[in-house]
Amino acid sequence: MSSLKKSIPEFLAHLKSLPTSVTASNNVLTICVGNESADMDSIASAITFSYCQYIYNQSSDSDKDNLTIPIIDVPREDLSLRRDVKYVLEKLNIKEEMLFFIEDLKDMREHIPHGAKLNSYLVDNNDIPKNLKNYINNVVGIIDHHFDLKKHLDAEPRIVRVSGSCSSLVFNYWYEKLQGNHEVMMNIARLLMGAILIDTSNMERKVESSDRLAIKRCQEILNLAADEATAQGLQDSDLFYKEMKSRKNDIKGFSVSDILKKDYKQFNFQGKGPKGLEIGFSSIVKQISWLFNKHDGEAQFIKQCRNFQSGRGLDVLVLLTSWRKAGESHRELVILGDPKVLRELVERVSDKLELQIFGGHLDQGVAMYKQLNVEATRKQVVPYLEKAYSEVY
Ligand SMILES: [Mn+2]
């Protein structure tokens, strides 16, 4: 085993330098993967978890050669749609070529020895992402802040609890396990803080005790940084947040399909029938009227949405827009699909989400609502609609 790779970029470059047959030890290849939206939280959590596991294993005699590879669950070319993530990674000298994406996972799967197993830690997710079901054999550990699907009950750790950001749970887990190892904590604090601040709107919304604890610990560590260069200006979390947020909200120059897939999750809702409902959710950082203006008007925009819908084999496509204006949060919900299905679904979630129609019509297979319950994000909207579906079908 070569010498200890101390920083995150060194660790990632080390992983990249090894052939797959070496990373698979004892006929097992171990990865860590976030959810398919591949947002800052998922990416930061997966990289950090793998890095800390590596540092931790180095101090044990038996596990020294066990490596965990962080996987980002989108194609490599889609990283460019995440301008906030790119900004943070660049700031920390983590280069795109050091990262592993879906294509890399597929490639690894082909190159591990015949009969070898692929084990996965899940972060920001508590079941195997749908598109990876055929690649992953076992789930060995979970840290997540989504609704607990009560699967993989023997995973270790298995931490699934309410938290503004999964990154807070990942930070606290390793902070305790590595007993506050100062150098390692300094490395991960800078990455995880980015995700925590984005997920909690700079510690103003969705903040839980786990987030407060993680941010307090991160700031203590960054304040101890020997010099400005080491902390890279990250002690000023307000400024850091503003820089990230403006990049996250910058979707200028993206095509409609880019906008729809930038922060996207797809599900198959199970009813009594055999087929289920294939449904996609795109979270979007701009108001629907802004999207119409920038993309040749309502008719053209909706047409592109329908193309996206048929391209992905979706029965229903839901756009969840959110933006802030003068300190107030706003949300809209746009739903496309078969009129009868839409009517059944909307009827059952309308009260909870406080929906007010402002465009389209259910009979035409597309309806647009103001969502006055601005606290409900995709994390809540998905289970509401899933429950509605299971009540009817
Ligand atoms: Mn998350």
Side-chain angles (χ1 to χ4, degrees):
M1 190 75 204
S2 53
S3 64
L4 181 62
K5 303 297 178 291
K6 288 204 166 117
S7 71
I8 295 178
E10 280 174 326
F11 162 69
L12 293 171
H14 176 57
L15 287 183
K16 276 284 170 186
S17 73
L18 299 171
T20 304
S21 54
V22 176
T23 39
S25 84
N26 297 326
N27 255 0
V28 175
L29 180 71
T30 309
I31 63 167
C32 177
V33 67
N35 70 53
E36 62 177 320
S37 76
D39 63 357
M40 184 99 80
D41 195 27
S42 275
I43 295 176
S45 292
I47 293 175
T48 306
F49 190 94
S50 305
Y51 167 70
C52 288
Q53 185 79 62
Y54 167 77
I55 298 285
Y56 183 77
N57 286 351
Q58 290 303 305
S59 60
S60 112
D61 284 336
S62 56
D63 293 328
K64 265 199 171 57
D65 294 335
N66 285 351
L67 293 164
T68 301
I69 300 168
I71 303 289
I72 300 174
D73 191 10
V74 287
R76 180 172 291 271
E77 62 168 25
D78 287 0
L79 184 68
S80 62
L81 302 177
R82 294 153 175 83
R83 290 172 171 161
D84 51 339
V85 177
K86 283 197 72 166
Y87 166 74
V88 173
L89 294 178
E90 275 164 26
K91 214 170 165 64
L92 300 177
N93 293 319
I94 298 171
K95 301 194 166 56
E96 193 208 298
E97 62 262 27
M98 297 172 181
L99 302 172
F100 297 83
F101 295 87
I102 294 184
E103 358 357 3
D104 301 297
L105 175 64
K106 293 184 175 171
D107 190 59
M108 278 186 252
R109 181 79 246 192
E110 277 167 26
H111 288 92
I112 56 176
H114 189 70
K117 291 256 182 289
L118 203 147
N119 284 353
S120 184
Y121 289 99
L122 303 178
V123 286
D124 203 13
N125 210 352
N126 62 74
D127 193 17
I128 301 171
K130 212 173 154 209
N131 62 335
L132 302 183
K133 287 241 152 71
N134 292 332
Y135 297 92
I136 294 171
N137 300 106
N138 298 306
V139 171
V140 287
I142 297 174
I143 301 183
D144 184 33
H145 65 148
H146 290 82
F147 178 75
D148 192 346
L149 300 168
K150 307 275 184 207
K151 293 185 176 174
H152 316 293
L153 295 175
D154 53 355
E156 173 56 37
R158 192 180 190 289
I159 300 168
V160 183
R161 66 177 69 131
V162 176
S163 178
S165 183
C166 179
S167 291
S168 301
L169 302 177
V170 171
F171 183 84
N172 291 330
Y173 174 76
W174 285 109
Y175 186 91
E176 281 147 33
K177 210 162 166 173
L178 294 170
Q179 293 162 344
N181 178 324
H182 183 260
E183 191 183 353
V184 172
M185 291 305 124
M186 177 80 80
N187 290 336
I188 67 171
R190 298 181 298 181
L191 180 56
L192 294 182
M193 230 174 87
I196 301 169
L197 295 175
I198 283 282
D199 282 349
T200 60
S201 305
N202 201 18
M203 298 299 279
E204 283 175 11
R205 306 172 67 79
K206 310 254 167 207
V207 183
E208 301 290 336
S209 56
S210 51
D211 304 301
R212 274 190 282 273
L213 180 62
I215 280 289
K216 179 175 155 272
R217 286 167 164 176
C218 282
Q219 269 160 349
E220 276 166 12
I221 284 164
L222 291 174
N223 287 338
L224 288 173
D227 52 70
E228 278 295 306
T230 320
Q232 289 171 317
L234 298 187
Q235 296 109 319
D236 186 347
S237 55
D238 289 343
L239 183 66
F240 184 37
Y241 174 71
K242 270 190 203 126
E243 293 285 339
M244 286 187 295
K245 191 69 185 169
S246 72
R247 283 163 177 85
K248 187 177 160 85
N249 287 348
D250 178 12
I251 58 172
K252 280 188 227 76
F254 288 172
S255 68
V256 174
S257 132
D258 286 342
I259 290 169
L260 295 174
K261 72 180 181 180
K262 174 176 158 5
D263 189 349
Y264 176 74
K265 285 189 180 177
Q266 189 168 324
F267 301 85
N268 186 274
F269 289 172
Q270 297 294 311
K272 285 163 205 86
K275 193 181 150 281
L277 184 83
E278 201 62 28
I279 182 166
F281 292 84
S282 298
S283 294
I284 302 174
V285 291
K286 300 280 186 209
Q287 184 170 6
I288 202 82
S289 59
W290 186 96
L291 298 167
F292 291 165
N293 276 335
K294 298 281 174 191
H295 295 276
D296 310 315
E298 176 173 342
Q300 272 304 317
F301 184 84
I302 295 297
K303 186 169 164 230
Q304 300 271 354
C305 289
R306 291 207 194 280
N307 288 343
F308 183 89
Q309 188 182 353
S310 61
R312 305 225 169 193
L314 297 174
D315 299 310
V316 174
L317 172 64
V318 182
L319 316 188
L320 300 171
T321 71
S322 67
W323 70 99
R324 280 173 80 85
K325 198 175 171 189
E328 298 280 324
S329 294
H330 302 271
R331 288 185 177 272
E332 295 158 335
L333 182 150
V334 176
I335 190 162
L336 296 95
D338 174 72
K340 184 169 169 292
V341 178
L342 297 191
R343 192 173 289 285
E344 301 278 15
L345 292 179
V346 169
E347 233 170 50
R348 283 171 175 76
V349 299
S350 185
D351 283 353
K352 275 183 273 200
L353 297 176
E354 301 170 45
L355 299 181
Q356 279 186 353
I357 194 153
F358 73 86
H361 200 285
L362 285 171
D363 292 339
Q364 295 147 13
V366 53
M368 305 172 199
Y369 300 88
K370 281 200 136 329
Q371 182 189 309
L372 299 182
N373 175 359
V374 292
E375 294 301 315
T377 67
R378 184 167 59 193
K379 252 190 218 74
Q380 288 77 38
V381 175
V382 170
Y384 286 169
L385 283 170
E386 185 163 26
K387 182 161 178 287
Y389 181 74
S390 71
E391 283 168 6
V392 198
Y393 294 97

